[in-house]
PDB file of all heavy atoms in Angstrom:
ATOM      1  N   LEU A   1     107.967 109.812  89.527  1.00  0.00           N
ATOM      2  CA  LEU A   1     108.507 109.949  88.181  1.00  0.00           C
ATOM      3  C   LEU A   1     108.863 108.593  87.581  1.00  0.00           C
ATOM      4  O   LEU A   1     108.538 108.308  86.427  1.00  0.00           O
ATOM      5  CB  LEU A   1     109.735 110.854  88.193  1.00  0.00           C
ATOM      6  CG  LEU A   1     110.392 111.121  86.840  1.00  0.00           C
ATOM      7  CD1 LEU A   1     109.428 111.869  85.943  1.00  0.00           C
ATOM      8  CD2 LEU A   1     111.673 111.894  87.020  1.00  0.00           C
ATOM      9  N   SER A   2     109.502 107.739  88.361  1.00  0.00           N
ATOM     10  CA  SER A   2     109.845 106.409  87.836  1.00  0.00           C
ATOM     11  C   SER A   2     108.585 105.579  87.589  1.00  0.00           C
ATOM     12  O   SER A   2     108.524 104.802  86.637  1.00  0.00           O
ATOM     13  CB  SER A   2     110.782 105.678  88.795  1.00  0.00           C
ATOM     14  OG  SER A   2     110.130 105.380  90.000  1.00  0.00           O
ATOM     15  N   GLY A   3     107.583 105.743  88.411  1.00  0.00           N
ATOM     16  CA  GLY A   3     106.323 105.047  88.187  1.00  0.00           C
ATOM     17  C   GLY A   3     105.605 105.537  86.951  1.00  0.00           C
ATOM     18  O   GLY A   3     104.974 104.756  86.236  1.00  0.00           O
ATOM     19  N   ALA A   4     105.701 106.832  86.670  1.00  0.00           N
ATOM     20  CA  ALA A   4     105.076 107.374  85.463  1.00  0.00           C
ATOM     21  C   ALA A   4     105.754 106.831  84.214  1.00  0.00           C
ATOM     22  O   ALA A   4     105.088 106.507  83.222  1.00  0.00           O
ATOM     23  CB  ALA A   4     105.129 108.894  85.484  1.00  0.00           C
ATOM     24  N   VAL A   5     107.064 106.692  84.253  1.00  0.00           N
ATOM     25  CA  VAL A   5     107.779 106.083  83.129  1.00  0.00           C
ATOM     26  C   VAL A   5     107.370 104.619  82.995  1.00  0.00           C
ATOM     27  O   VAL A   5     107.183 104.109  81.890  1.00  0.00           O
ATOM     28  CB  VAL A   5     109.308 106.225  83.316  1.00  0.00           C
ATOM     29  CG1 VAL A   5     110.076 105.400  82.303  1.00  0.00           C
ATOM     30  CG2 VAL A   5     109.716 107.686  83.224  1.00  0.00           C
ATOM     31  N   GLY A   6     107.213 103.944  84.110  1.00  0.00           N
ATOM     32  CA  GLY A   6     106.776 102.558  84.091  1.00  0.00           C
ATOM     33  C   GLY A   6     105.385 102.400  83.506  1.00  0.00           C
ATOM     34  O   GLY A   6     105.104 101.417  82.821  1.00  0.00           O
ATOM     35  N   LEU A   7     104.510 103.347  83.765  1.00  0.00           N
ATOM     36  CA  LEU A   7     103.159 103.283  83.191  1.00  0.00           C
ATOM     37  C   LEU A   7     103.191 103.334  81.674  1.00  0.00           C
ATOM     38  O   LEU A   7     102.367 102.722  81.006  1.00  0.00           O
ATOM     39  CB  LEU A   7     102.298 104.436  83.713  1.00  0.00           C
ATOM     40  CG  LEU A   7     101.781 104.300  85.127  1.00  0.00           C
ATOM     41  CD1 LEU A   7     100.968 105.523  85.503  1.00  0.00           C
ATOM     42  CD2 LEU A   7     100.948 103.066  85.281  1.00  0.00           C
ATOM     43  N   LEU A   8     104.146 104.061  81.134  1.00  0.00           N
ATOM     44  CA  LEU A   8     104.259 104.128  79.679  1.00  0.00           C
ATOM     45  C   LEU A   8     104.819 102.834  79.093  1.00  0.00           C
ATOM     46  O   LEU A   8     104.544 102.500  77.949  1.00  0.00           O
ATOM     47  CB  LEU A   8     105.157 105.302  79.285  1.00  0.00           C
ATOM     48  CG  LEU A   8     104.636 106.683  79.651  1.00  0.00           C
ATOM     49  CD1 LEU A   8     105.679 107.738  79.348  1.00  0.00           C
ATOM     50  CD2 LEU A   8     103.348 106.974  78.924  1.00  0.00           C
ATOM     51  N   ARG A   9     105.588 102.100  79.870  1.00  0.00           N
ATOM     52  CA  ARG A   9     106.261 100.913  79.354  1.00  0.00           C
ATOM     53  C   ARG A   9     105.532  99.602  79.634  1.00  0.00           C
ATOM     54  O   ARG A   9     105.850  98.589  79.019  1.00  0.00           O
ATOM     55  CB  ARG A   9     107.659 100.838  79.947  1.00  0.00           C
ATOM     56  CG  ARG A   9     108.532 102.017  79.548  1.00  0.00           C
ATOM     57  CD  ARG A   9     109.906 101.822  80.033  1.00  0.00           C
ATOM     58  NE  ARG A   9     110.390 100.518  79.588  1.00  0.00           N
ATOM     59  CZ  ARG A   9     111.470 100.323  78.864  1.00  0.00           C
ATOM     60  NH1 ARG A   9     112.184 101.350  78.513  1.00  0.00           N
ATOM     61  NH2 ARG A   9     111.850  99.109  78.524  1.00  0.00           N
ATOM     62  N   LEU A  10     104.616  99.593  80.561  1.00  0.00           N
ATOM     63  CA  LEU A  10     103.932  98.343  80.911  1.00  0.00           C
ATOM     64  C   LEU A  10     102.990  97.909  79.791  1.00  0.00           C
ATOM     65  O   LEU A  10     102.395  98.742  79.111  1.00  0.00           O
ATOM     66  CB  LEU A  10     103.182  98.504  82.229  1.00  0.00           C
ATOM     67  CG  LEU A  10     104.091  98.618  83.449  1.00  0.00           C
ATOM     68  CD1 LEU A  10     103.287  98.968  84.680  1.00  0.00           C
ATOM     69  CD2 LEU A  10     104.866  97.348  83.674  1.00  0.00           C
ATOM     70  N   PRO A  11     102.825  96.583  79.596  1.00  0.00           N
ATOM     71  CA  PRO A  11     102.161  96.095  78.385  1.00  0.00           C
ATOM     72  C   PRO A  11     100.638  96.190  78.355  1.00  0.00           C
ATOM     73  O   PRO A  11     100.070  96.449  77.300  1.00  0.00           O
ATOM     74  CB  PRO A  11     102.589  94.624  78.317  1.00  0.00           C
ATOM     75  CG  PRO A  11     102.884  94.246  79.713  1.00  0.00           C
ATOM     76  CD  PRO A  11     103.401  95.487  80.375  1.00  0.00           C
ATOM     77  N   ASP A  12      99.945  95.969  79.457  1.00  0.00           N
ATOM     78  CA  ASP A  12      98.487  95.931  79.374  1.00  0.00           C
ATOM     79  C   ASP A  12      97.860  96.723  80.509  1.00  0.00           C
ATOM     80  O   ASP A  12      98.532  97.265  81.375  1.00  0.00           O
ATOM     81  CB  ASP A  12      97.961  94.493  79.343  1.00  0.00           C
ATOM     82  CG  ASP A  12      98.270  93.726  80.611  1.00  0.00           C
ATOM     83  OD1 ASP A  12      99.067  94.209  81.422  1.00  0.00           O
ATOM     84  OD2 ASP A  12      97.708  92.632  80.792  1.00  0.00           O
ATOM     85  N   PHE A  13      96.529  96.782  80.465  1.00  0.00           N
ATOM     86  CA  PHE A  13      95.772  97.606  81.408  1.00  0.00           C
ATOM     87  C   PHE A  13      96.004  97.196  82.856  1.00  0.00           C
ATOM     88  O   PHE A  13      96.171  98.044  83.727  1.00  0.00           O
ATOM     89  CB  PHE A  13      94.276  97.523  81.069  1.00  0.00           C
ATOM     90  CG  PHE A  13      93.400  98.214  82.058  1.00  0.00           C
ATOM     91  CD1 PHE A  13      93.308  99.588  82.070  1.00  0.00           C
ATOM     92  CD2 PHE A  13      92.688  97.485  82.992  1.00  0.00           C
ATOM     93  CE1 PHE A  13      92.508 100.237  82.995  1.00  0.00           C
ATOM     94  CE2 PHE A  13      91.884  98.118  83.918  1.00  0.00           C
ATOM     95  CZ  PHE A  13      91.801  99.500  83.917  1.00  0.00           C
ATOM     96  N   PHE A  14      96.019  95.905  83.110  1.00  0.00           N
ATOM     97  CA  PHE A  14      96.114  95.437  84.493  1.00  0.00           C
ATOM     98  C   PHE A  14      97.495  95.702  85.089  1.00  0.00           C
ATOM     99  O   PHE A  14      97.613  96.031  86.258  1.00  0.00           O
ATOM    100  CB  PHE A  14      95.738  93.961  84.569  1.00  0.00           C
ATOM    101  CG  PHE A  14      94.314  93.713  84.185  1.00  0.00           C
ATOM    102  CD1 PHE A  14      93.992  93.216  82.940  1.00  0.00           C
ATOM    103  CD2 PHE A  14      93.290  94.025  85.063  1.00  0.00           C
ATOM    104  CE1 PHE A  14      92.678  93.008  82.583  1.00  0.00           C
ATOM    105  CE2 PHE A  14      91.970  93.827  84.718  1.00  0.00           C
ATOM    106  CZ  PHE A  14      91.664  93.321  83.470  1.00  0.00           C
ATOM    107  N   CYS A  15      98.535  95.570  84.272  1.00  0.00           N
ATOM    108  CA  CYS A  15      99.877  95.920  84.752  1.00  0.00           C
ATOM    109  C   CYS A  15      99.981  97.418  85.023  1.00  0.00           C
ATOM    110  O   CYS A  15     100.568  97.848  86.007  1.00  0.00           O
ATOM    111  CB  CYS A  15     100.930  95.504  83.730  1.00  0.00           C
ATOM    112  SG  CYS A  15     101.164  93.742  83.608  1.00  0.00           S
ATOM    113  N   ARG A  16      99.409  98.202  84.133  1.00  0.00           N
ATOM    114  CA  ARG A  16      99.422  99.657  84.330  1.00  0.00           C
ATOM    115  C   ARG A  16      98.622 100.057  85.563  1.00  0.00           C
ATOM    116  O   ARG A  16      98.997 100.976  86.290  1.00  0.00           O
ATOM    117  CB  ARG A  16      98.871 100.351  83.101  1.00  0.00           C
ATOM    118  CG  ARG A  16      99.790 100.252  81.925  1.00  0.00           C
ATOM    119  CD  ARG A  16      99.222 100.941  80.714  1.00  0.00           C
ATOM    120  NE  ARG A  16     100.133 100.741  79.599  1.00  0.00           N
ATOM    121  CZ  ARG A  16      99.761 100.628  78.352  1.00  0.00           C
ATOM    122  NH1 ARG A  16      98.477 100.717  78.048  1.00  0.00           N
ATOM    123  NH2 ARG A  16     100.638 100.449  77.410  1.00  0.00           N
ATOM    124  N   LEU A  17      97.534  99.354  85.803  1.00  0.00           N
ATOM    125  CA  LEU A  17      96.721  99.630  86.981  1.00  0.00           C
ATOM    126  C   LEU A  17      97.500  99.334  88.255  1.00  0.00           C
ATOM    127  O   LEU A  17      97.435 100.092  89.224  1.00  0.00           O
ATOM    128  CB  LEU A  17      95.430  98.815  86.928  1.00  0.00           C
ATOM    129  CG  LEU A  17      94.406  99.075  88.012  1.00  0.00           C
ATOM    130  CD1 LEU A  17      93.906 100.509  87.933  1.00  0.00           C
ATOM    131  CD2 LEU A  17      93.251  98.115  87.859  1.00  0.00           C
ATOM    132  N   HIS A  18      98.256  98.243  88.248  1.00  0.00           N
ATOM    133  CA  HIS A  18      99.088  97.917  89.403  1.00  0.00           C
ATOM    134  C   HIS A  18     100.166  98.982  89.600  1.00  0.00           C
ATOM    135  O   HIS A  18     100.416  99.420  90.726  1.00  0.00           O
ATOM    136  CB  HIS A  18      99.732  96.551  89.214  1.00  0.00           C
ATOM    137  CG  HIS A  18     100.720  96.222  90.277  1.00  0.00           C
ATOM    138  ND1 HIS A  18     100.359  95.949  91.579  1.00  0.00           N
ATOM    139  CD2 HIS A  18     102.071  96.136  90.238  1.00  0.00           C
ATOM    140  CE1 HIS A  18     101.441  95.711  92.287  1.00  0.00           C
ATOM    141  NE2 HIS A  18     102.491  95.824  91.501  1.00  0.00           N
ATOM    142  N   GLY A  19     100.789  99.414  88.506  1.00  0.00           N
ATOM    143  CA  GLY A  19     101.803 100.461  88.601  1.00  0.00           C
ATOM    144  C   GLY A  19     101.231 101.769  89.135  1.00  0.00           C
ATOM    145  O   GLY A  19     101.862 102.455  89.941  1.00  0.00           O
ATOM    146  N   ALA A  20     100.040 102.106  88.694  1.00  0.00           N
ATOM    147  CA  ALA A  20      99.403 103.330  89.185  1.00  0.00           C
ATOM    148  C   ALA A  20      99.082 103.232  90.670  1.00  0.00           C
ATOM    149  O   ALA A  20      99.201 104.213  91.407  1.00  0.00           O
ATOM    150  CB  ALA A  20      98.138 103.609  88.386  1.00  0.00           C
ATOM    151  N   GLY A  21      98.689 102.050  91.115  1.00  0.00           N
ATOM    152  CA  GLY A  21      98.415 101.868  92.543  1.00  0.00           C
ATOM    153  C   GLY A  21      99.659 102.010  93.391  1.00  0.00           C
ATOM    154  O   GLY A  21      99.632 102.585  94.478  1.00  0.00           O
ATOM    155  N   VAL A  22     100.783 101.491  92.889  1.00  0.00           N
ATOM    156  CA  VAL A  22     102.044 101.619  93.620  1.00  0.00           C
ATOM    157  C   VAL A  22     102.480 103.076  93.679  1.00  0.00           C
ATOM    158  O   VAL A  22     102.928 103.574  94.720  1.00  0.00           O
ATOM    159  CB  VAL A  22     103.131 100.729  92.977  1.00  0.00           C
ATOM    160  CG1 VAL A  22     104.493 101.037  93.542  1.00  0.00           C
ATOM    161  CG2 VAL A  22     102.781  99.268  93.173  1.00  0.00           C
ATOM    162  N   ILE A  23     102.348 103.765  92.551  1.00  0.00           N
ATOM    163  CA  ILE A  23     102.698 105.190  92.533  1.00  0.00           C
ATOM    164  C   ILE A  23     101.834 105.941  93.535  1.00  0.00           C
ATOM    165  O   ILE A  23     102.314 106.783  94.295  1.00  0.00           O
ATOM    166  CB  ILE A  23     102.483 105.793  91.133  1.00  0.00           C
ATOM    167  CG1 ILE A  23     103.486 105.246  90.149  1.00  0.00           C
ATOM    168  CG2 ILE A  23     102.578 107.299  91.174  1.00  0.00           C
ATOM    169  CD1 ILE A  23     103.174 105.626  88.724  1.00  0.00           C
ATOM    170  N   ASP A  24     100.561 105.622  93.524  1.00  0.00           N
ATOM    171  CA  ASP A  24      99.621 106.349  94.366  1.00  0.00           C
ATOM    172  C   ASP A  24      99.914 106.134  95.846  1.00  0.00           C
ATOM    173  O   ASP A  24      99.860 107.073  96.631  1.00  0.00           O
ATOM    174  CB  ASP A  24      98.204 105.903  94.026  1.00  0.00           C
ATOM    175  CG  ASP A  24      97.159 106.854  94.544  1.00  0.00           C
ATOM    176  OD1 ASP A  24      97.492 108.023  94.763  1.00  0.00           O
ATOM    177  OD2 ASP A  24      96.018 106.431  94.713  1.00  0.00           O
ATOM    178  N   THR A  25     100.228 104.912  96.230  1.00  0.00           N
ATOM    179  CA  THR A  25     100.431 104.664  97.658  1.00  0.00           C
ATOM    180  C   THR A  25     101.835 105.029  98.117  1.00  0.00           C
ATOM    181  O   THR A  25     101.998 105.739  99.104  1.00  0.00           O
ATOM    182  CB  THR A  25     100.134 103.204  98.009  1.00  0.00           C
ATOM    183  OG1 THR A  25     100.900 102.357  97.170  1.00  0.00           O
ATOM    184  CG2 THR A  25      98.675 102.896  97.844  1.00  0.00           C
ATOM    185  N   LEU A  26     102.856 104.566  97.410  1.00  0.00           N
ATOM    186  CA  LEU A  26     104.223 104.815  97.878  1.00  0.00           C
ATOM    187  C   LEU A  26     104.663 106.247  97.609  1.00  0.00           C
ATOM    188  O   LEU A  26     105.132 106.944  98.517  1.00  0.00           O
ATOM    189  CB  LEU A  26     105.193 103.836  97.221  1.00  0.00           C
ATOM    190  CG  LEU A  26     106.652 103.957  97.649  1.00  0.00           C
ATOM    191  CD1 LEU A  26     106.780 103.673  99.140  1.00  0.00           C
ATOM    192  CD2 LEU A  26     107.528 103.027  96.858  1.00  0.00           C
ATOM    193  N   GLY A  27     104.515 106.697  96.378  1.00  0.00           N
ATOM    194  CA  GLY A  27     104.967 108.047  96.029  1.00  0.00           C
ATOM    195  C   GLY A  27     104.195 109.134  96.752  1.00  0.00           C
ATOM    196  O   GLY A  27     104.777 110.038  97.360  1.00  0.00           O
ATOM    197  N   ALA A  28     102.887 109.035  96.704  1.00  0.00           N
ATOM    198  CA  ALA A  28     102.075 110.045  97.387  1.00  0.00           C
ATOM    199  C   ALA A  28     102.213 109.927  98.898  1.00  0.00           C
ATOM    200  O   ALA A  28     102.147 110.930  99.607  1.00  0.00           O
ATOM    201  CB  ALA A  28     100.617 109.911  96.975  1.00  0.00           C
ATOM    202  N   GLY A  29     102.424 108.707  99.396  1.00  0.00           N
ATOM    203  CA  GLY A  29     102.649 108.538 100.837  1.00  0.00           C
ATOM    204  C   GLY A  29     103.917 109.242 101.304  1.00  0.00           C
ATOM    205  O   GLY A  29     103.936 109.868 102.366  1.00  0.00           O
ATOM    206  N   LEU A  30     104.978 109.141 100.500  1.00  0.00           N
ATOM    207  CA  LEU A  30     106.216 109.845 100.852  1.00  0.00           C
ATOM    208  C   LEU A  30     106.039 111.357 100.779  1.00  0.00           C
ATOM    209  O   LEU A  30     106.567 112.094 101.623  1.00  0.00           O
ATOM    210  CB  LEU A  30     107.352 109.391  99.937  1.00  0.00           C
ATOM    211  CG  LEU A  30     107.896 107.994 100.203  1.00  0.00           C
ATOM    212  CD1 LEU A  30     108.855 107.577  99.099  1.00  0.00           C
ATOM    213  CD2 LEU A  30     108.576 107.930 101.550  1.00  0.00           C
ATOM    214  N   VAL A  31     105.305 111.812  99.780  1.00  0.00           N
ATOM    215  CA  VAL A  31     105.057 113.262  99.671  1.00  0.00           C
ATOM    216  C   VAL A  31     104.207 113.741 100.851  1.00  0.00           C
ATOM    217  O   VAL A  31     104.473 114.806 101.426  1.00  0.00           O
ATOM    218  CB  VAL A  31     104.390 113.586  98.313  1.00  0.00           C
ATOM    219  CG1 VAL A  31     103.907 115.023  98.266  1.00  0.00           C
ATOM    220  CG2 VAL A  31     105.361 113.313  97.183  1.00  0.00           C
ATOM    221  N   ILE A  32     103.230 112.958 101.246  1.00  0.00           N
ATOM    222  CA  ILE A  32     102.396 113.336 102.389  1.00  0.00           C
ATOM    223  C   ILE A  32     103.220 113.326 103.678  1.00  0.00           C
ATOM    224  O   ILE A  32     103.070 114.206 104.525  1.00  0.00           O
ATOM    225  CB  ILE A  32     101.166 112.415 102.479  1.00  0.00           C
ATOM    226  CG1 ILE A  32     100.172 112.821 101.397  1.00  0.00           C
ATOM    227  CG2 ILE A  32     100.509 112.474 103.846  1.00  0.00           C
ATOM    228  CD1 ILE A  32      98.981 111.938 101.291  1.00  0.00           C
ATOM    229  N   LEU A  33     104.100 112.349 103.821  1.00  0.00           N
ATOM    230  CA  LEU A  33     104.982 112.322 104.989  1.00  0.00           C
ATOM    231  C   LEU A  33     105.905 113.540 105.008  1.00  0.00           C
ATOM    232  O   LEU A  33     106.150 114.125 106.065  1.00  0.00           O
ATOM    233  CB  LEU A  33     105.786 111.027 105.000  1.00  0.00           C
ATOM    234  CG  LEU A  33     106.578 110.721 106.256  1.00  0.00           C
ATOM    235  CD1 LEU A  33     105.646 110.593 107.454  1.00  0.00           C
ATOM    236  CD2 LEU A  33     107.381 109.451 106.066  1.00  0.00           C
ATOM    237  N   ALA A  34     106.386 113.943 103.831  1.00  0.00           N
ATOM    238  CA  ALA A  34     107.206 115.150 103.746  1.00  0.00           C
ATOM    239  C   ALA A  34     106.406 116.385 104.147  1.00  0.00           C
ATOM    240  O   ALA A  34     106.914 117.268 104.872  1.00  0.00           O
ATOM    241  CB  ALA A  34     107.754 115.318 102.333  1.00  0.00           C
ATOM    242  N   MET A  35     105.157 116.456 103.695  1.00  0.00           N
ATOM    243  CA  MET A  35     104.322 117.595 104.077  1.00  0.00           C
ATOM    244  C   MET A  35     104.049 117.605 105.572  1.00  0.00           C
ATOM    245  O   MET A  35     103.905 118.663 106.179  1.00  0.00           O
ATOM    246  CB  MET A  35     102.999 117.571 103.296  1.00  0.00           C
ATOM    247  CG  MET A  35     103.180 117.878 101.843  1.00  0.00           C
ATOM    248  SD  MET A  35     101.681 118.094 100.853  1.00  0.00           S
ATOM    249  CE  MET A  35     100.509 117.000 101.542  1.00  0.00           C
ATOM    250  N   LEU A  36     104.000 116.425 106.162  1.00  0.00           N
ATOM    251  CA  LEU A  36     103.815 116.333 107.610  1.00  0.00           C
ATOM    252  C   LEU A  36     105.010 116.934 108.341  1.00  0.00           C
ATOM    253  O   LEU A  36     104.851 117.650 109.329  1.00  0.00           O
ATOM    254  CB  LEU A  36     103.604 114.873 108.007  1.00  0.00           C
ATOM    255  CG  LEU A  36     103.124 114.580 109.403  1.00  0.00           C
ATOM    256  CD1 LEU A  36     101.754 115.197 109.628  1.00  0.00           C
ATOM    257  CD2 LEU A  36     103.069 113.088 109.633  1.00  0.00           C
ATOM    258  N   PHE A  37     106.215 116.637 107.860  1.00  0.00           N
ATOM    259  CA  PHE A  37     107.409 117.221 108.470  1.00  0.00           C
ATOM    260  C   PHE A  37     107.508 118.721 108.221  1.00  0.00           C
ATOM    261  O   PHE A  37     108.034 119.458 109.054  1.00  0.00           O
ATOM    262  CB  PHE A  37     108.677 116.545 107.929  1.00  0.00           C
ATOM    263  CG  PHE A  37     109.023 115.275 108.618  1.00  0.00           C
ATOM    264  CD1 PHE A  37     108.787 114.066 108.006  1.00  0.00           C
ATOM    265  CD2 PHE A  37     109.587 115.287 109.883  1.00  0.00           C
ATOM    266  CE1 PHE A  37     109.101 112.880 108.636  1.00  0.00           C
ATOM    267  CE2 PHE A  37     109.903 114.111 110.528  1.00  0.00           C
ATOM    268  CZ  PHE A  37     109.663 112.899 109.902  1.00  0.00           C
TER     269      PHE A  37
END
């Protein structure tokens, strides 16, 4: 959720791409770890 808000606020494509990558790895990684438990 915080990464999605950040995607709306970041200034250009490359910053948004970096934010999306962080969301994808950290956020989805935590959700996958939760599903593992």
Side-chain angles (χ1 to χ4, degrees):
L1 182 64
S2 67
V5 170
L7 284 179
L8 296 174
R9 297 186 53 123
L10 290 172
D12 64 348
F13 174 76
F14 296 102
C15 289
R16 290 180 183 147
L17 186 63
H18 173 70
V22 169
I23 291 170
D24 196 23
T25 54
L26 182 62
L30 287 171
V31 170
I32 285 175
L33 190 61
M35 290 188 326
L36 192 62
F37 277 104

